[in-house]
Amino acid sequence: MATVPLEPILHHHHWRETSKSPMESEKHKQSSLNYTWKTRNCLIGNGAKRCNFRPVSSRVMKTTVRASSNSSVAELSLSNTSNSDNVIFHKTFPLQCIEKVEGKILVRLDCGKDEENLQLVVGCNLPGKWILHWGINYVNDIGSDWDQPPVEMRPLGSIPIKEYAIETPLEKSVEKEAGFIYEVKIDFNTRSSISAINFVLRDEETGSWYQHKGSDFKVPLTNISNDDGNTVGTKQDFAIWPGTLGHLSNMLQKSDGGNSKESTQKGNLFYEEYDIVKQSMVDNSMSVCKKRCPEFVNNLLHIETDIPGDVVVHWGVCKDESKKWEIPTGPYPDKTSIFKNKALQTQLQKKEGGCGCSGLFPLDAGIEGFLFVLKVNNNTWVNCMGDDFYIPMSNETNFKKLERMGEENVSKSMKIDSSQDVSTNTDELINEIRHLVIGISSEKKRKTKSKETQENILREIEKLAAEAYSIFRSSIPSFTKKPESESGSESESESKEAEPDLKISSGTGSGFEILCQGFNWESHKSTSWYSELQDKAAELSSLGFTIVWLPPPTESISPQGYMPKDLYNLNSRYGNIEELKALVNKFHEVGIRALGDAVINHRCAHSQNQNGVWNIFGGRLDWDDSAVVGDDPHFQGRGNKSSGDNFHAAPNIDHSQEFVRKDLKEWLCWLRKEIGYDGWRLDFVRGFWGGYVKDYMDASEPYFAVGEYWDSLNYTYGEMDYNQDSHRQRIVDWINATNGTAGAFDVTTKGILHSALERCEYWRLSDSKGKPPGVVGWWPSRAVTFIENHDTGSTQGHWRFPGGKEMQGYAYILTHPGTPSVFYDHIFSHYNSQISTLISIRNRNKIHCRSMVEISKAEGDVYAAIIDEKIAMKIGPGHFEPQQSGPHNWCLAAEGNDYKVWEAL
């Protein structure tokens, strides 16, 4: 099924840049750069995340609306607003803006002191803390890996990185007339066996990496007949990769296809210049002041900002708490026009000296609030953390509350920034960040496609996260002991070690989680499932499970719980609310966390509307048809269009409505407090935008969360395609939209395992990069791997795993990264002991969601891999034995029908 996308947060656009910096030689071909800037979590982005008047890139009506002559806004001077006696409200909003500075990178090969010695010069004319990350190739080298240069070739200040790269800081140039204020010089002898110097440039201030044509710069030092397309002096195609600590961005810069010319400067063997654009976040602010102004209008709003350039305010008012945009009656400020009959747009007036701009907005009585967003330079939307700016107008208490909320948010962000500084300033972490770069800089054959670039960025972020997480774990105790009793002796329960009460709100758990689905499609028939499962809690804990996924708890039209009606009624076919509380408490006692199955895509109605359509809701959340999406023909909703695919069996909830999101956040927080749930399994998340999930996760702060993003894999003429990148990309895009606050079930991995095992095509288990081919190969910490659940297996059997091969599937997911999920029916079956053994091996060797996989074999009848150099495994009828020579000896730890697992001794 095709998805119906929500209007995107970021309206991506292309800027065309040309160099403005004076250069040493104007004879060189100027390469212009086209790039796409993508940003997340910035107050300024290339598009409004949610704005009720729906700003789009289409043409707008140019109707000019002028103020009435008897109450000209022009008569109101800015100085009048400074009278503190009449000021009701004043608040300053911090903003961030993207600043672009154009410059060049220089690559020059100079003659040295004699014919045998040459000098390579790499320079940059932009201010910054520039680092050259470089290595060499020797003559007759096979492959594209770097080697470290000899010691005599390394400039002062160079730092070795692992075994195959050097980092050298650029120093200020004494040749200032050349225009390159930073440079590094590398001397080398032409009689050496070095064939090429490879490098990339990094700006430590922004964390950005600058490459040539999507790969390393390559300077040939000998006559090389086979040019791989990356050598300096050919087409100038340039890429910027933001650092792993920065925003998750993807900026590709492509040249106009021209070739640089050689410099005629005496002594230069060649001279190349490459246009670059350095991007950085600049702090800006906006102040909003409300003042009583009875002479002209009831209230006067003053907006002022230091954002440079043209700033237009898209604004409207609301007359009740729904925050629905309306166009107010006049008078209006000068330079105001109507935008699609839904809002007004007013250009702010430039301040004297060009330092920012400001505007005055007269407002009549009877207005509940003032809504607005900004548009900068006609291409960048500015909103308030993803929502419209909202200034309450009717109650001074609201102003004080808003100010307090702002102070709390600032305080919270300052704490977060402080903790980040502590971690990023750790020497060990800094070194590991440097190590991550090598994986990027050595991929010379990678094509500069946006999808592949995003893939690599995600991989590098995963590596960084793994290192950061290991530092975090090493800095805290794993368990704390309860104090001894007064008598000096401890009971059995008191002597147990318990995990510390850590606040982890990322939704990804500790990284060592093993999930159990605690029900199947027929569990509701028990009518006392909660009690039956409570009796199995101790056994599940002993097997090694750390999280259990419980069935939907709410009243439901369908007995399984997936057609919810009254969300606050927790008396379901599985048991009542008290039995549910007892079950969750029991799991907590044995060290297992509990996930609630939250069905928030759709909801069954209590009554019909005037047309006989079931779209009116009752219970505590007594919504009307405005809570239903407007594009589902079955339920006649009055809401906005769906932000995903419609589930046609029940009314689809319109999550763009603020009252809906508010109610759902309160419900999730109530479940956390009342029931004790530790997180969520989110049903049918294809039905609504992942950004709403982020909102819900931020509010409820789950320990662990996973979404069911079910999508069909790619097939050609009935045969599953080998390349499933587009499938896993869609899942990754959804996770990305949640800002990583929730993971997703790795449907890609399940589907590929089906074909690999069923057709004896184990070569499918390695993608074109030699990585696991599912989501686990791209974003393992957010991938929840599984082979069966209540939909695919059980009595439904919609997509049943190949019969008799289930343990091969578990041998794969329980030894690999990601968070493995085991189906209830398999736990309590003849597979019990084999699953228990695999879980023990995983826990014993501390395999976690970010563990590293080295695929040893992926052939027709066998797949084999080594994980974290601690576990070796193979599945399939083919032969594989890990090599006993080398740093490890291997001992067989588990085996079964066509699978084996070894542990390193």
Side-chain angles (χ1 to χ4, degrees):
M1 295 173 63
T3 59
V4 182
L6 178 70
E7 183 176 348
I9 305 178
L10 308 179
H11 300 289
H12 303 307
H13 58 278
H14 296 271
W15 292 318
R16 189 167 182 82
E17 305 292 343
T18 55
S19 175
K20 297 180 181 178
S21 305
M23 301 307 304
E24 175 181 348
S25 173
E26 296 297 330
K27 292 184 290 183
H28 305 302
K29 178 80 173 181
Q30 300 297 315
S31 298
S32 62
L33 306 178
N34 289 333
Y35 63 89
T36 301
W37 169 259
K38 299 182 182 178
T39 183
R40 295 186 307 147
N41 291 339
C42 296
L43 293 180
I44 296 183
N46 300 332
K49 176 180 177 182
R50 186 193 66 81
C51 187
N52 292 335
F53 65 84
R54 302 290 181 191
V56 293
S57 58
S58 58
R59 297 175 59 187
V60 299
M61 185 163 49
K62 295 297 183 180
T63 305
T64 301
V65 184
R66 300 190 180 279
S68 60
S69 59
N70 60 351
S71 58
S72 174
V73 179
E75 298 177 25
L76 304 175
S77 65
L78 179 60
S79 60
N80 290 336
T81 66
S82 62
N83 187 346
S84 60
D85 294 338
N86 291 328
V87 172
I88 303 173
F89 164 76
H90 181 272
K91 177 170 176 55
T92 299
F93 295 87
L95 307 172
Q96 284 187 312
C97 191
I98 303 165
E99 182 179 68
K100 301 180 296 175
V101 182
E102 300 171 348
K104 290 184 180 292
I105 288 178
L106 153 76
V107 182
R108 188 177 75 224
L109 190 61
D110 292 343
C111 295
K113 58 186 178 181
D114 52 48
E115 294 182 357
E116 291 185 3
N117 293 282
L118 300 178
Q119 186 178 73
L120 177 68
V121 180
V122 179
C124 182
N125 70 338
L126 293 179
K129 192 173 181 181
W130 297 98
I131 302 292
L132 189 74
H133 186 89
W134 63 289
I136 62 171
N137 291 130
Y138 287 104
V139 176
N140 299 324
D141 267 357
I142 299 176
S144 58
D145 289 339
W146 295 5
D147 289 301
Q148 284 189 351
V151 175
E152 62 272 12
M153 191 175 173
R154 306 174 189 178
L156 293 176
S158 297
I159 300 173
I161 303 299
K162 289 192 175 178
E163 299 176 352
Y164 39 91
I166 292 290
E167 284 192 347
T168 305
L170 274 63
E171 303 291 344
K172 285 189 176 180
S173 172
V174 295
E175 302 175 5
K176 295 183 179 178
E177 66 277 3
F180 288 91
I181 57 178
Y182 295 93
E183 66 178 20
V184 64
K185 298 179 179 179
I186 301 173
D187 296 311
F188 61 92
N189 190 289
T190 58
R191 292 186 177 274
S192 70
S193 57
I194 298 173
S195 64
I197 295 176
N198 309 280
F199 71 88
V200 291
L201 198 63
R202 183 176 86 234
D203 179 11
E204 283 201 340
E205 291 183 349
T206 63
S208 295
W209 290 85
Y210 295 79
Q211 293 182 302
H212 177 47
K213 298 196 295 185
S215 192
D216 314 327
F217 283 88
K218 184 173 183 178
V219 181
L221 306 182
T222 59
N223 293 326
I224 302 176
S225 58
N226 295 324
D227 180 11
D228 61 4
N230 300 324
T231 56
V232 172
T234 58
K235 287 185 179 180
Q236 298 182 23
D237 197 358
F238 208 81
I240 299 178
W241 285 26
T244 51
L245 286 179
H247 299 286
L248 181 62
S249 311
N250 180 18
M251 299 178 288
L252 297 178
Q253 305 185 357
K254 297 183 178 180
S255 74
D256 56 5
N259 292 329
S260 297
K261 299 179 181 179
E262 291 188 359
S263 171
T264 57
Q265 181 178 344
K266 186 177 180 180
N268 292 159
L269 298 180
F270 70 77
Y271 184 107
E272 302 280 350
E273 292 175 3
Y274 301 87
D275 293 343
I276 64 170
V277 177
K278 178 179 177 179
Q279 313 232 12
S280 58
M281 300 303 297
V282 178
D283 291 331
N284 293 103
S285 64
M286 175 186 66
S287 64
V288 180
C289 174
K290 182 194 173 189
K291 173 181 178 288
R292 292 189 185 92
C293 190
E295 310 96 285
F296 297 96
V297 289
N298 187 59
N299 293 308
L300 186 68
L301 202 69
H302 173 236
I303 297 178
E304 181 176 354
T305 180
D306 59 357
I307 297 175
D310 295 326
V311 180
V312 174
V313 180
H314 282 249
W315 62 284
V317 299
C318 58
K319 297 181 179 179
D320 52 40
E321 295 183 354
S322 67
K323 296 184 181 179
K324 181 179 180 181
W325 285 62
E326 296 183 26
I327 296 178
T329 57
Y332 304 129
D334 290 336
K335 295 187 177 180
T336 296
S337 59
I338 295 177
F339 183 85
K340 290 185 173 291
N341 291 321
K342 296 181 180 179
L344 298 172
Q345 50 184 16
T346 301
Q347 182 167 344
L348 297 183
Q349 302 299 309
K350 296 286 182 66
K351 296 167 65 176
E352 292 185 7
C355 243
C357 51
S358 63
L360 297 171
F361 298 81
L363 300 171
D364 291 327
I367 294 173
E368 182 75 19
F370 181 84
L371 296 151
F372 71 99
V373 294
L374 306 180
K375 192 174 186 181
V376 181
N377 296 327
N378 204 35
N379 59 21
T380 302
W381 290 98
V382 184
N383 54 38
C384 184
M385 302 302 291
D387 287 316
D388 308 331
F389 288 103
Y390 175 73
I391 307 300
M393 305 300 295
S394 62
N395 192 328
E396 293 186 25
T397 304
N398 289 338
F399 295 128
K400 295 178 181 179
K401 182 179 179 181
L402 182 61
E403 287 180 320
R404 286 196 302 270
M405 288 173 61
E407 292 171 359
E408 292 171 0
N409 289 338
V410 170
S411 175
K412 183 178 179 181
S413 65
M414 289 175 63
K415 291 178 181 178
I416 294 173
D417 290 341
S418 173
S419 65
Q420 289 175 342
D421 289 341
V422 171
S423 63
T424 55
N425 286 330
T426 304
D427 291 340
E428 182 180 354
L429 182 55
I430 290 174
N431 290 333
E432 292 304 323
I433 294 171
R434 288 175 176 156
H435 296 167
L436 298 181
V437 176
I438 299 168
I440 299 177
S441 59
S442 62
E443 292 189 41
K444 297 183 178 62
K445 300 298 183 182
R446 187 185 55 80
K447 297 179 181 179
T448 56
K449 294 182 179 179
S450 59
K451 183 187 298 184
E452 295 187 60
T453 304
Q454 182 180 14
E455 170 190 340
N456 283 287
I457 291 172
L458 289 172
R459 287 177 179 173
E460 300 314 313
I461 289 175
E462 272 305 316
K463 295 176 185 177
L464 172 64
E467 298 303 325
Y469 178 72
S470 65
I471 292 175
F472 166 74
R473 280 188 64 85
S474 65
S475 64
I476 60 172
S478 298
F479 297 95
T480 56
K481 292 184 178 181
K482 294 183 179 181
E484 295 184 1
S485 61
E486 294 180 0
S487 63
S489 62
E490 294 179 328
S491 66
E492 181 179 353
S493 61
E494 289 176 328
S495 64
K496 286 185 177 180
E497 295 177 336
E499 292 187 13
D501 185 17
L502 297 175
K503 183 179 181 182
I504 302 177
S505 58
S506 67
T508 59
S510 69
F512 293 84
E513 312 302 339
I514 301 177
L515 175 65
C516 159
Q517 180 176 1
F519 63 100
N520 60 30
W521 191 248
E522 304 298 331
S523 296
H524 67 91
K525 293 181 178 179
S526 163
T527 69
S528 59
W529 184 253
Y530 293 151
S531 299
E532 291 186 22
L533 200 56
Q534 185 173 342
D535 295 337
K536 294 181 170 63
E539 182 178 358
L540 292 172
S541 177
S542 67
L543 289 172
F545 290 102
T546 62
I547 303 182
V548 62
W549 158 23
L550 300 178
T554 57
E555 175 198 15
S556 170
I557 298 299
S558 65
Q560 292 82 11
Y562 289 101
M563 298 284 281
K565 191 174 180 182
D566 184 356
L567 297 185
Y568 280 91
N569 183 350
L570 301 189
N571 296 318
S572 70
R573 303 291 179 90
Y574 301 100
N576 59 41
I577 184 173
E578 296 304 324
E579 291 170 330
L580 176 57
K581 288 181 182 179
L583 173 61
V584 172
N585 287 335
K586 180 62 177 180
F587 277 126
H588 288 169
E589 288 177 8
V590 298
I592 295 179
R593 290 181 166 90
L595 299 186
D597 201 325
V599 185
I600 56 177
N601 171 76
H602 50 273
R603 182 184 171 195
C604 293
H606 289 69
S607 58
Q608 299 166 293
N609 67 0
Q610 64 275 16
N611 298 324
V613 177
W614 292 86
N615 58 15
I616 307 299
F617 304 93
R620 183 165 167 180
L621 302 182
D622 53 347
W623 302 335
D624 60 12
D625 52 3
S626 65
V628 180
V629 298
D631 56 347
D632 186 345
H634 298 87
F635 296 103
Q636 297 181 5
R638 292 190 297 110
N640 296 313
K641 288 184 177 181
S642 175
S643 57
D645 290 345
N646 282 327
F647 179 81
H648 296 296
N652 288 256
I653 300 306
D654 180 10
H655 295 265
S656 71
Q657 303 287 354
E658 184 174 350
F659 75 90
V660 169
R661 296 200 307 277
K662 176 178 176 293
D663 286 346
L664 290 178
K665 286 187 285 189
E666 289 179 354
W667 177 65
L668 291 171
C669 292
W670 176 78
L671 287 175
R672 288 272 276 142
K673 182 178 180 181
E674 184 72 17
I675 304 303
Y677 283 133
D678 302 287
W680 317 111
R681 180 266 186 185
L682 301 169
D683 183 66
F684 198 74
V685 296
R686 278 185 62 186
F688 53 101
W689 175 50
Y692 299 133
V693 173
K694 178 187 182 302
D695 199 14
Y696 302 140
M697 297 305 100
D698 288 346
S700 60
E701 296 186 341
Y703 174 84
F704 190 89
V706 54
E708 181 207 24
Y709 193 95
W710 194 284
D711 200 3
S712 297
L713 277 77
N714 304 325
Y715 294 84
T716 301
Y717 302 116
E719 297 287 334
M720 179 182 287
D721 296 345
Y722 165 68
N723 188 330
Q724 295 292 334
D725 287 355
S726 62
H727 182 269
R728 57 176 170 176
Q729 185 67 59
R730 291 192 291 273
I731 300 176
V732 165
D733 286 344
W734 179 85
I735 302 171
N736 202 26
T738 74
N739 201 29
T741 56
F745 286 108
D746 193 348
V747 180
T748 317
T749 290
K750 173 176 168 63
I752 292 173
L753 280 171
H754 273 242
S755 286
L757 276 60
E758 204 166 38
R759 303 165 62 92
C760 204
E761 296 174 343
Y762 291 84
W763 45 265
R764 292 182 178 273
L765 294 173
S766 177
D767 68 9
S768 60
K769 304 285 186 181
K771 301 290 185 179
V775 178
V776 74
W778 279 2
W779 206 340
S781 70
R782 303 303 190 272
V784 177
T785 53
F786 73 108
I787 69 167
E788 210 80 287
N789 63 27
H790 62 289
D791 286 318
T792 66
S794 192
T795 55
Q796 286 206 100
H798 286 327
W799 193 24
R800 200 178 299 280
F801 201 76
K805 302 181 185 294
E806 289 86 356
M807 283 313 303
Q808 287 190 62
Y810 282 122
Y812 183 90
I813 69 172
L814 287 171
T815 58
H816 278 57
T819 299
S821 174
V822 184
F823 184 42
Y824 180 88
D825 289 6
H826 294 158
I827 298 169
F828 296 100
S829 72
H830 62 284
Y831 294 137
N832 180 283
S833 62
Q834 296 181 73
I835 291 173
S836 174
T837 299
L838 290 174
I839 293 176
S840 296
I841 294 171
R842 183 182 183 91
N843 289 335
R844 190 161 59 239
N845 290 276
K846 294 182 171 56
I847 303 301
H848 53 85
C849 69
R850 298 178 177 92
S851 289
M852 302 303 294
V853 177
E854 180 185 347
I855 297 177
S856 303
K857 260 188 177 184
E859 300 173 357
D861 62 351
V862 65
Y863 167 86
I866 296 175
I867 299 88
D868 282 351
E869 298 185 355
K870 298 176 181 178
I871 289 178
M873 60 81 63
K874 80 97 179 179
I875 56 176
H879 175 75
F880 172 82
E881 293 282 341
Q883 294 182 357
Q884 295 295 341
S885 59
H888 299 299
N889 290 320
W890 298 95
C891 175
L892 184 63
E895 65 177 320
N897 184 21
D898 287 339
Y899 77 89
K900 289 184 179 181
V901 180
W902 296 263
E903 290 180 283
L905 296 178

